[in-house]
Amino acid sequence: MDAMQFQIHMGNPSDHALLLQMLDTWRRLTCVSVRLSDWSPDRDEEPDLLIWDLDTGMLPPASSGSALIFCVSCSQAAISGYSFHPVGFLRKPLSMNELTTVLLRCRNIERQ
């Protein structure tokens, strides 16, 4: 089975490093095959999951098939993301429990 593609767009380097560490831990604990990479506007491939930091002030690209998780530090930032119909929101500071809960909502991950 092919590995799932998770792309990440985080504005703060320490948040980015923490998220990568937590995703690596989740990947090892669940035995889900996942490739992690940073989001880039130049990429043609659509990820299975896009984790997007709304605190950057930038909205994610329109996507038809990607599950979307937003990271936010305040509810005002979260409001701008509701129209994208995300799987969930991760509040900053990021926590492993919240990440696990939100990832369980992703149906395409559960089927892997």
Side-chain angles (χ1 to χ4, degrees):
M1 189 171 286
D2 291 336
M4 296 185 65
Q5 176 65 41
F6 287 13
Q7 290 182 7
I8 301 164
H9 170 67
M10 295 296 287
N12 181 305
S14 60
D15 288 338
H16 184 269
L18 176 60
L19 180 59
L20 286 176
Q21 181 183 24
M22 291 186 329
L23 285 168
D24 187 54
T25 299
W26 175 82
R27 176 173 51 183
R28 284 182 286 126
L29 291 172
T30 61
C31 299
V32 174
S33 181
V34 174
R35 287 180 294 130
L36 302 172
S37 62
D38 290 333
W39 176 83
S40 168
D42 301 329
R43 290 185 185 248
D44 290 331
E45 66 182 322
E46 191 168 304
D48 297 297
L49 176 68
L50 179 59
I51 301 174
W52 193 270
D53 185 354
L54 280 177
D55 291 347
T56 64
M58 194 169 123
L59 293 175
S63 172
S64 59
S66 297
L68 181 61
I69 296 173
F70 285 127
C71 299
V72 296
S73 59
C74 68
S75 57
Q76 283 301 108
I79 291 170
S80 64
Y82 278 103
S83 64
F84 288 86
H85 307 287
V87 173
F89 291 87
L90 296 174
R91 288 176 292 160
K92 295 179 185 178
L94 302 173
S95 81
M96 189 68 192
N97 286 339
E98 283 188 23
L99 176 65
T100 301
T101 299
V102 171
L103 287 173
L104 287 174
R105 291 186 202 141
C106 298
R107 292 183 185 179
N108 58 341
I109 293 173
E110 292 172 5
R111 288 187 292 226
Q112 294 294 319

